[in-house]
Amino acid sequence: MQSVLIVGIYRDGKLSIPNKGDVKIRPGDNIFAVMSKESLEPFLTLLNMRKGETKKLVIYGATITGVGLARRMEESVDNIVIIEHDMERAKLASQKLAGTLVLQGEGTDLDALREAGIGSADYFAAVSRDNEDNLMASLLAKKEGAKRAIVLTTEPRHISVLKSIGLEVVINPPYIDLALASGYVAGA
């Protein structure tokens, strides 16, 4: 296995950025890691997880993050759906993604979520540009049966609240950027 860089550990409502050599992963931690594609399976094995367990992924937002996530997951996830409110963005996303269904609609609209098959989704990822829409869409997705929700927020103060209401993975780009930069500076 090539190197794996742990860039953040979310534990007990707090995100910490580990220094080189002091990484301790505990049960219940959410970890953020950067690795090569070849390192993914051996790393998952260490965590007693398997690649390919996700059968359905619904993404809200045909942003760079949303389209990039769909593109990366097309090889390992059977059913991917993107919901995008802007017609032009939806068209562009559908042209870029051969194995992903792109629907034009609002992620906060129950009919759009149901059309995307949210009730059978293993993951729902809200990665639109709107923090509040991401939060609302994720709560609706969980209520409608999505097993896990990933929420993108640019507000660090929202992280502990989002985790406390059952949204399992909260992504805050400034924290990830900081973690990546500090890892490079530390020589990792």
Side-chain angles (χ1 to χ4, degrees), residues 83-128:
I83 302 170
E84 171 57 49
H85 73 276
D86 181 81
M87 181 63 83
E88 285 303 310
R89 280 180 172 266
K91 283 181 187 177
L92 285 171
S94 68
Q95 292 168 357
K96 292 178 181 179
L97 300 164
T100 297
L101 173 65
V102 180
L103 302 174
Q104 196 272 322
E106 291 289 338
T108 55
D109 177 23
L110 276 176
D111 291 333
L113 289 169
R114 288 174 180 153
E115 183 180 351
I118 197 64
S120 62
D122 296 300
Y123 281 92
F124 176 79
V127 294
S128 80

Side-chain angles (χ1 to χ4, degrees), residues 6-71:
I6 305 293
V7 296
I9 300 173
Y10 189 84
R11 177 185 303 139
D12 299 327
K14 295 178 186 161
L15 178 70
S16 63
I17 300 168
N19 292 319
K20 193 172 185 175
D22 75 348
V23 178
K24 291 181 180 133
I25 299 171
R26 297 183 185 146
D29 285 352
N30 281 324
I31 60 170
F32 299 90
V34 178
M35 69 195 81
S36 69
K37 191 174 184 177
E38 295 78 32
S39 296
L40 179 59
E41 282 213 45
F43 183 69
L44 290 175
T45 300
L46 286 172
L47 300 176
N48 200 26
M49 298 173 72
R50 286 187 309 277
K51 185 177 172 186
E53 290 180 345
T54 302
K55 301 289 183 229
K56 182 163 190 153
L57 167 64
V58 177
I59 301 169
Y60 171 50
T63 58
I64 291 170
T65 303
V67 171
L69 176 62
R71 183 177 291 128

